[in-house]
Structure formats: C-alpha cells, structure tokens
Amino acid sequence: MSLSAHYIVSCRTDGWFIGLEGERYGPFPNGQVGALIAAVQAANHAGKDGHDARVLLRAADGRTATVWVFGTDTYPSPWVEDLHRTAQLPRRERARAPVPLAPSMMLVKTGPERAMPARA
C-alpha cells in the first residue's frame, strides 16, 4: 500500500499556503505562483520516495482540482516552468502578468494574485 502525499494549495486572508497532513506551510512571498512551484517540487520528491503524490488547488468555495500528479504529469512540467518565470518578475510586473494555465486546470482570474478553478 502506497502512502499519500497530497499538497493542497489554497489562499487565506494572509496569503497563499500549502497544506499537507494537517500542517500549513507559508505564506509564500510569490503568492499562488510560489505556492504552486513549491508544492510541485515537494510532490515530485515525495513521489520519488514511493508516495501517491499530487498537488491540489483549493478554490475559495472549498472545491479542489488536481493540478499535478506524480507519474502522470511531467516534471518539471511546462506550466511550472512558466510559473517559475513569472515568479522571477518584479512584484509590479508579476501582479499584472497572467497566471500560466496548466493543461489540467482552468483558472479564472479574480485579482492580481488570486485564481480559482473555473466551473465546468
């Protein structure tokens, strides 16, 4: 039986965080972009250690969407590389830059650094 490592990226009033096994990590200085990059990196390491590793993005209404799965999605995935490039921009430019879309997630922009999965 495989252990699970599900990294849940969510926004709170004080920033973007990663949740794992009841623990919260963050806030991330690069907002959603930074949290997603860190979550995919951590999930990739957990997957190499034999865990069922995946990254989930939680919307403000509580719904979650899987955005990356170890063994299914490539690492580094093209959208994570796009996020990494966005995270390197100065804060003003980063706030105006669109959040790159992962093939498995549709995001609706709700503010400079807030995004949620769109309803299908």
Side-chain angles (χ1 to χ4, degrees), residues 71-103:
T72 301
D73 296 309
T74 62
Y75 182 84
S77 66
W79 67 268
V80 171
E81 290 300 311
D82 290 342
L83 287 176
H84 188 68
R85 279 190 287 284
T86 300
Q88 302 305 313
L89 296 173
R91 184 175 280 278
R92 281 186 179 211
E93 290 179 43
R94 189 172 63 238
R96 289 189 295 259
V99 175
L101 299 178

Side-chain angles (χ1 to χ4, degrees), residues 4-118:
S4 65
H6 297 174
Y7 297 83
I8 303 170
V9 175
S10 62
C11 184
R12 299 174 52 96
T13 57
D14 50 345
W16 284 89
F17 291 84
I18 297 173
L20 174 67
E21 297 179 1
E23 296 292 325
R24 185 172 43 149
Y25 303 92
F28 286 83
N30 289 327
Q32 179 191 23
V33 169
L36 283 169
I37 290 169
V40 170
Q41 289 172 342
N44 185 61
H45 288 294
K48 287 179 183 178
D49 290 338
H51 291 61
D52 167 25
R54 58 191 63 225
V55 176
L56 304 151
L57 181 62
R58 178 172 288 149
D61 65 4
R63 289 180 300 126
T64 58
T66 302
V67 295
W68 189 87
V69 178
F70 180 82
T72 301
D73 296 309
T74 62
Y75 182 84
S77 66
W79 67 268
V80 171
E81 290 300 311
D82 290 342
L83 287 176
H84 188 68
R85 279 190 287 284
T86 300
Q88 302 305 313
L89 296 173
R91 184 175 280 278
R92 281 186 179 211
E93 290 179 43
R94 189 172 63 238
R96 289 189 295 259
V99 175
L101 299 178
S104 60
M105 70 177 159
M106 296 269 304
L107 298 177
V108 175
K109 196 85 161 152
T110 60
E113 289 198 330
R114 296 191 66 189
M116 298 180 294

